Amino acid sequence: MEKAKNIKLVILDVDGVMTDGRIVINDEGVESRNFDIKDGMGVVVLQLCGVEVAIITSKKSGAVRHRAEELKIKRFHEGIKKKTEPYAQMLEEMNISDAEVCYVGDDLVDLSMMKRVGLPVAVGDAVPDVKEAAAYVTTARGGHGAVREVAELILKAQGKWDAMLSKIH
């Protein structure tokens, strides 16, 4: 895919993208989420190949913060109501343009970002409006390998996939 060739930054939503969108709340009010290990590998291989990964999420969650730290995601923005604000800051800090950014989303709150970036991606179970705004729709559902699918798409388009395979085994 042509739009994937120049991507330098991949921005991920969390609930419905890195997770399946379900939030489990126990009797004490503690939230938990499930993350797919293949998606984590997708983040790792992007970073290994020089593509930065960021998270912008409207919720605040210790589980998400812990997962971001575990994956060494330095650009982590939580509790964000207007996702375009940290986005503009990242563009300036990295000295990149909209065309060099991929955003992966699943729901209506993601549309403002998807309309700005060069490679807007919807997960397979995204709402119809988000799928319509996407240049690519993953076959995988959110929280079930969609991030990993996006990583492979980008790295293959950039000709980095085979070299990355030799680095990790």
Side-chain angles (χ1 to χ4, degrees), residues 113-158:
M113 288 293 298
M114 294 182 74
K115 290 177 180 175
R116 292 236 359 226
V117 300
L119 179 56
V121 174
V123 296
D125 57 342
V127 298
D129 288 328
V130 171
K131 286 182 175 181
E132 190 175 303
Y136 181 81
V137 178
T138 65
T139 53
R141 298 184 335 265
H144 294 279
V147 174
R148 165 67 170 66
E149 184 178 331
V150 172
E152 187 170 340
L153 172 82
I154 291 168
L155 296 178
K156 283 183 175 179
Q158 294 180 357

Side-chain angles (χ1 to χ4, degrees), residues 20-166:
D20 63 8
R22 295 181 300 162
I23 299 172
V24 178
I25 303 173
N26 71 14
D27 290 341
E28 288 80 42
V30 177
E31 291 184 359
S32 66
R33 291 165 170 79
N34 293 315
F35 296 93
D36 189 304
I37 197 74
K38 290 184 294 296
D39 288 333
M41 178 57 82
V43 169
V44 169
V45 297
L46 282 166
Q47 293 169 327
L48 271 174
C49 294
V51 178
E52 195 156 345
V53 178
I55 290 174
I56 303 177
T57 181
S58 58
K59 294 195 66 130
K60 286 190 173 189
S61 162
V64 175
R65 196 168 28 262
H66 180 74
R67 185 65 172 150
E69 289 170 5
E70 191 176 66
L71 294 173
K72 297 177 178 49
I73 296 173
K74 295 176 186 83
R75 297 180 188 278
F76 175 69
H77 304 273
E78 64 179 340
I80 303 298
K81 298 303 174 208
K82 191 172 181 184
K83 293 184 176 191
T84 53
E85 289 175 1
Y87 173 63
Q89 181 182 350
M90 284 187 274
L91 288 180
E92 188 175 322
E93 288 172 0
M94 294 179 67
N95 194 28
I96 59 174
S97 69
D98 290 332
E100 297 169 300
V101 181
C102 169
Y103 182 85
V104 187
D106 72 306
D107 213 339
L108 300 177
V109 297
D110 300 312
L111 286 172
S112 63
M113 288 293 298
M114 294 182 74
K115 290 177 180 175
R116 292 236 359 226
V117 300
L119 179 56
V121 174
V123 296
D125 57 342
V127 298
D129 288 328
V130 171
K131 286 182 175 181
E132 190 175 303
Y136 181 81
V137 178
T138 65
T139 53
R141 298 184 335 265
H144 294 279
V147 174
R148 165 67 170 66
E149 184 178 331
V150 172
E152 187 170 340
L153 172 82
I154 291 168
L155 296 178
K156 283 183 175 179
Q158 294 180 357
K160 297 177 179 177
W161 184 255
D162 291 336
M164 178 278 305
L165 288 176
S166 66

Side-chain angles (χ1 to χ4, degrees), residues 1-7 99 118-119 153 157-158:
M1 163 177 271
E2 194 65 33
K3 290 183 176 196
K5 286 185 177 178
N6 297 314
I7 297 300
L119 179 56
L153 172 82
Q158 294 180 357

